[in-house]
């Protein structure tokens, strides 16, 4: 059986359908991305799999155990890093790790070794005796991840692991996630950050308004959804956005400062048209740059909210 | 079963480290009952009658203040959910929380007990029974505090809400006003308040007499209500899961 098997999982909150009969599976050792905008149902799904939210309909198997019927067994084999770094502020890093290990029934000697191992792995040895509340945001995140790994879970759930982090801390967390996965840990990562999902995950499932709307590896998703390209162009003189929008092949046009950003389906004919319009006004092209749709544009296309 | 008890003890140990220095636990758990007891004992009258009530009051405020701090703060910071992720039952979590409040209640009332001891003109009637009653009362209050904590969402309001429940109980539970002197309709409320039974149990163990509830009833009620509150707290924890 796969690491995670989800069958028709559904969640209603007082009649509001938050997760709508979704089904999927995650293989052992996979770094699986669950991507979607805020409010799409990502966190609710993770919470149902971890037993923190009741399942309204459907079922799931986490490491072969059902959160509906075998919750205690599920809890023994999973680690969850929630979107909030929620360790105990008055306890030191060391005490937080020890407490977590004690709750999983790990023997003292083994726990002490494990806590040292994790502090080293997450580069927090010098913060061992610092209270959790004294750590930076990035350090708090790392310690929350470390705490989720104390009992050596088989599956790690990461809910928005880099939310609110600066670039440096984010990269540190990303490299940590890669390392954990390379060591064989199955990781279920939820994120609204397309770059995070495309950079880290082997397979991505896109969820929006509680429904799975696309799935595949990052390359497949880009190929499938990037039917359009983006053309950035600026002129030496004035030309209106309305006029540019009417050029055949321009799907969407927007203006940013002195340049235009055009989502185009047929770049060659659009470029020819633009050059013709410039000549007829006796102005010339200042700058032109054609590129394929980036991950963000692919994501927006998938969730049906095209942007320019 | 052993795993559950062990888990509960670890939760209690963690809570004591985390919350014993929080302002609400110090001001309402230690300082208030101490000052309250001193104020009444220094007046001189009815010290032997007042002593059991003041001792129980000290346990009551100590135990419930700790649970207010530990649960309300944790729910606010979302760290309470961490406990729900551990492989321990919700009853085990409730028991762990009650244990930390229980230990804090015992510790915080030490100063008050010492003062009461000084003012008492007679030796305790039954020392073993007194210890049993103190343990039962602290357990009862701690589980009651856990239950009440789930009614509070904002830590800033926790003490206001707790005190709006605790203060009327002081006046209706035979602590400073004998229930026999209350209007008839209020006596029914007194009998419905768990604190009345612990005060009566401690009173019997301390001075060898009781006012309204004999020890054969008050002592069992103290322990039964502990289990009842714990069970209700488990239900409340389940209800926090959306």
């Amino acid at each position: 059986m796969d690491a995670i098997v989800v069958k028709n999982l559904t969640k209603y909150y007082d009649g509001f359908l938050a997760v709508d009969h979704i089904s999927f599976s995650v293989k052992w050792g996979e770094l699986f991305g669950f991507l979607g905008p805020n409010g799409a149902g990502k966190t609710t799904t993770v919470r149902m799999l971890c037993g923190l939210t009741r399942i309204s309909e459907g079922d799931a198997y986490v490491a072969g155990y059902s959160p509906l019927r075998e919750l205690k067994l599920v809890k023994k084999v999973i680690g969850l890093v929630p979107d909030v770094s929620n360790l105990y502020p008055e306890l030191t890093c060391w005490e937080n790790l020890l407490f977590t290990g004690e709750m999983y029934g790990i023997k003292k000697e083994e726990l002490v070794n494990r806590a040292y191992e994790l502090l080293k792995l997450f580069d927090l040895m010098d913060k061992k005796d610092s209270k959790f509340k004294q750590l930076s945001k990035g350090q708090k995140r790392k310690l929350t991840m470390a705490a989720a790994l104390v009992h050596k879970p088989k599956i790690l759930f990461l809910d928005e692991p880099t939310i609110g982090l600066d670039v440096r801390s984010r990269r540190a967390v990303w490299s940590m996630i890669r390392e954990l996965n390379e060591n064989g840990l199955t990781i279920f990562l939820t994120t609204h950050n397309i770059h995070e999902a495309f950079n880290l995950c082997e397979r991505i499932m896109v969820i929006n308004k509680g429904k799975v709307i696309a799935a595949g590896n990052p390359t497949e998703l880009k190929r499938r959804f990037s039917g359009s390209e983006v053309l950035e162009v600026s002129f030496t003189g004035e030309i209106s956005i309305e006029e540019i929008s009417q050029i055949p092949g321009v799907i969407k046009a927007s203006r940013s400062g002195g340049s235009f950003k055009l989502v185009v389906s047929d770049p060659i004919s659009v470029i020819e048209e633009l050059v013709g319009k410039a000549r007829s006004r006796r102005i010339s092209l200042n700058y032109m740059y054609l590129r394929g749709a980036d991950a963000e544009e692919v994501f927006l296309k998938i969730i049906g909210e095209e942007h320019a | 079963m052993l795993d559950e008890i062990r888990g509960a003890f670890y939760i209690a140990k963690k809570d004591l480290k985390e919350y014993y220095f929080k302002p609400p636990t110090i001001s309402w758990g230690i300082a208030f009952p101490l000052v309250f007891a001193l104020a009444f004992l220094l007046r001189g009258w009815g010290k032997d009658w007042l002593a059991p009530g003041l001792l129980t009051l000290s346990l009551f405020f100590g135990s419930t203040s700790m649970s207010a701090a530990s649960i309300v703060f944790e729910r606010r910071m979302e760290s309470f959910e961490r406990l729900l992720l551990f492989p321990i039952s919700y009853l085990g979590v409730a028991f762990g929380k009650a244990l930390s409040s229980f230990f804090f209640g015992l510790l915080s009332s030490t100063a008050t007990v010492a003062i009461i001891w000084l003012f008492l003109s007679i030796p305790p009637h039954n020392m073993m029974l007194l210890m049993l009653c103190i343990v039962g009362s602290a357990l009862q209050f701690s589980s009651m505090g856990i239950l009440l904590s789930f009614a509070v969402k904002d830590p800033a309001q926790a003490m206001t809400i707790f005190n709006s429940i605790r203060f009327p109980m002081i006046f209706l539970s035979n602590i400073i006003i004998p229930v026999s002197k209350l209007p008839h309709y209020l006596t029914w409320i007194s009998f419905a308040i768990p604190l009345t039974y612990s005060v009566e149990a401690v009173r019997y163990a301390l001075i060898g007499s009781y006012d309204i509830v004999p020890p054969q009833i008050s002592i069992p009620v103290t322990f039964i209500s502990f289990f009842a509150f714990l069970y209700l707290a488990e239900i409340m924890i389940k209800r926090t899961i959306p």
Side-chain angles (χ1 to χ4, degrees):
Chain A
M1 189 183 251
D2 285 334
I4 301 171
V5 178
V6 170
K7 293 175 181 171
N8 280 318
L9 199 66
T10 306
K11 180 64 190 176
Y12 292 97
Y13 286 115
D14 297 326
F16 169 72
L17 185 56
V19 175
D20 188 1
H21 300 88
I22 61 170
S23 299
F24 61 88
S25 61
V26 178
K27 291 182 175 60
W28 285 107
E30 196 173 14
L31 206 172
F32 181 85
F34 204 48
L35 175 68
N38 291 335
K42 307 183 296 290
T43 299
T44 302
T45 303
V46 167
R47 290 175 62 90
M48 282 194 282
L49 296 177
C50 298
L52 291 177
T53 292
R54 288 177 217 279
I55 294 172
S56 301
E57 284 173 28
D59 203 352
Y61 293 91
V62 179
Y65 305 118
S66 163
L68 276 174
R69 293 175 295 278
E70 299 153 300
L71 187 55
K72 204 167 172 179
L73 293 171
V74 170
K75 287 176 179 177
K76 279 185 178 172
V77 293
I78 61 160
L80 169 67
V81 180
D83 54 350
V84 180
S85 298
N86 62 352
L87 290 172
Y88 302 97
E90 297 292 337
L91 299 189
T92 63
C93 295
W94 183 251
E95 288 169 338
N96 264 301
L97 291 180
L98 286 199
F99 168 64
T100 306
E102 284 167 344
M103 290 305 293
Y104 285 99
I106 303 172
K107 291 198 170 68
K108 183 78 186 214
E109 194 185 348
E110 188 188 342
L111 179 55
V112 167
N113 291 336
R114 181 68 177 153
Y116 273 121
E117 190 183 314
L118 287 166
L119 286 176
K120 276 183 205 154
L121 180 70
F122 285 88
D123 198 21
L124 289 167
M125 265 315 274
D126 58 330
K127 299 287 172 189
K128 175 177 166 276
D129 298 317
S130 301
K131 286 185 176 180
F132 182 68
K133 67 177 182 185
Q134 294 166 332
L135 303 182
S136 70
K137 257 189 179 180
Q139 289 165 338
K140 281 182 178 168
R141 211 74 199 113
K142 286 203 266 182
L143 192 72
T144 310
M145 276 176 75
L149 293 166
V150 169
H151 59 298
K152 297 185 179 169
K154 290 181 177 175
I155 301 167
L156 180 66
F157 289 92
L158 296 169
D159 191 6
E160 303 281 4
T162 58
I163 197 164
L165 296 187
D166 59 35
V167 178
R168 199 165 159 226
S169 305
R170 188 163 62 230
R171 284 180 184 273
V173 170
W174 282 358
S175 94
M176 199 54 65
I177 293 170
R178 277 196 200 98
E179 195 178 329
L180 291 169
N181 180 244
E182 279 163 15
N183 289 332
L185 184 63
T186 306
I187 298 180
F188 186 102
L189 179 142
T190 81
T191 182
H192 70 274
N193 182 335
I194 180 78
H195 302 291
E196 185 162 282
F198 274 60
N199 280 333
L200 285 176
C201 302
E202 297 160 42
R203 201 155 59 91
I204 295 169
M205 181 161 283
V206 185
I207 182 171
N208 190 30
K209 294 175 184 168
K211 284 185 176 171
V212 172
I213 51 173
N217 66 44
T219 318
E220 276 171 14
L221 288 175
K222 273 188 180 173
R223 198 169 46 229
R224 202 181 327 159
F225 290 96
S226 64
S228 53
E229 286 168 285
V230 177
L231 181 65
E232 289 176 22
V233 61
S234 75
F235 300 92
T236 55
E238 193 53 43
I239 187 162
S240 74
I241 192 163
E242 289 77 18
E243 199 174 343
I244 286 182
S245 302
Q246 285 164 6
I247 295 172
V250 173
I251 298 166
K252 185 136 186 159
S254 66
R255 193 163 195 165
S256 168
S259 63
F260 295 95
K261 188 174 171 187
L262 314 174
V263 179
V264 296
S265 58
D266 180 4
I268 303 297
S269 65
V270 171
I271 291 168
E272 281 173 359
E273 276 288 324
L274 287 171
V275 171
K277 283 189 186 295
R279 275 191 189 140
S280 67
R281 280 172 177 70
R282 294 178 187 282
I283 57 173
S284 55
L285 289 168
N286 242 348
Y287 158 83
M288 184 182 282
Y289 177 60
L290 179 68
R291 61 175 170 84
D294 65 16
E296 199 167 310
E297 286 148 354
V298 169
F299 177 52
L300 288 169
K301 191 159 182 188
I302 294 171
I303 63 168
E305 292 173 23
E306 282 188 314
H307 89 318
Chain B
M1 184 68 176
L2 263 178
D3 284 348
E4 295 282 319
I5 294 169
R6 195 165 36 224
F9 268 96
Y10 288 132
I11 292 174
K13 190 175 82 173
K14 186 270 297 171
D15 275 358
L16 287 168
K17 273 186 196 165
E18 175 87 355
Y19 300 107
Y20 73 106
F21 249 173
K22 286 272 181 198
T25 50
I26 293 171
S27 57
W28 289 106
I30 301 172
F32 171 75
L34 186 64
V35 172
F36 196 86
L38 268 176
F40 274 89
L41 291 171
L42 287 172
R43 290 186 67 175
W45 48 261
K47 283 180 295 192
D48 290 342
W49 186 86
L50 275 172
L54 295 175
L55 194 159
T56 318
L57 182 82
S58 170
L59 283 169
F60 180 51
F61 270 77
S63 307
T64 48
S65 296
M66 179 68 176
S67 41
S70 78
I71 290 187
V72 180
F73 273 105
E74 283 189 9
R75 288 185 70 204
R76 178 78 168 185
M77 294 181 309
E78 299 183 31
S79 48
F80 185 74
E81 282 200 340
R82 296 194 68 81
L83 302 179
L84 306 185
L85 273 172
F86 294 129
I88 180 174
S89 69
Y90 301 135
L91 188 65
V93 172
F95 183 49
K97 287 287 175 191
L99 269 185
S100 60
S101 305
F102 165 77
F103 287 126
F104 185 80
L106 290 184
L107 283 172
S108 64
S109 61
T110 315
T112 314
V113 170
I115 287 167
I116 288 168
W117 220 261
L118 288 174
F119 281 86
L120 211 60
S121 62
I122 49 166
H125 169 65
N126 186 331
M127 199 59 191
M128 287 301 286
L129 192 64
L130 178 64
M131 283 163 70
L132 180 76
C133 292
I134 286 176
V135 167
S137 302
L139 284 172
Q140 181 199 49
F141 303 145
S142 55
S143 58
M144 185 182 165
I146 302 299
L147 188 60
L148 279 177
S149 299
F150 284 97
V152 184
K153 289 204 169 74
D154 185 358
Q157 292 176 344
M159 284 305 139
T160 312
I161 293 171
F162 263 72
N163 286 341
S164 65
I165 296 165
R166 290 189 294 200
F167 275 97
M169 288 170 81
I170 297 174
F171 297 101
L172 294 167
S173 301
N174 218 31
I175 293 177
I176 49 175
I177 305 168
V179 169
S180 55
K181 290 187 180 171
L182 292 174
H184 185 64
Y185 64 93
L186 284 180
T187 58
W188 289 105
I189 300 175
S190 297
F191 282 113
I193 296 173
L195 183 59
T196 307
Y197 297 89
S198 27
V199 172
E200 283 292 274
V202 171
R203 174 163 289 124
Y204 179 77
L206 198 62
I207 62 173
S209 65
Y210 62 90
D211 276 8
I212 45 171
V213 188
Q216 296 89 329
I217 294 175
S218 60
I219 297 171
V221 166
T222 305
F223 283 93
I224 290 166
S225 54
F226 159 63
F227 289 110
F229 288 139
L230 206 60
Y231 174 69
L232 291 172
E234 184 201 12
I235 293 173
M236 291 303 282
I237 292 176
K238 278 184 190 161
R239 284 182 62 183
T240 63
I241 297 167

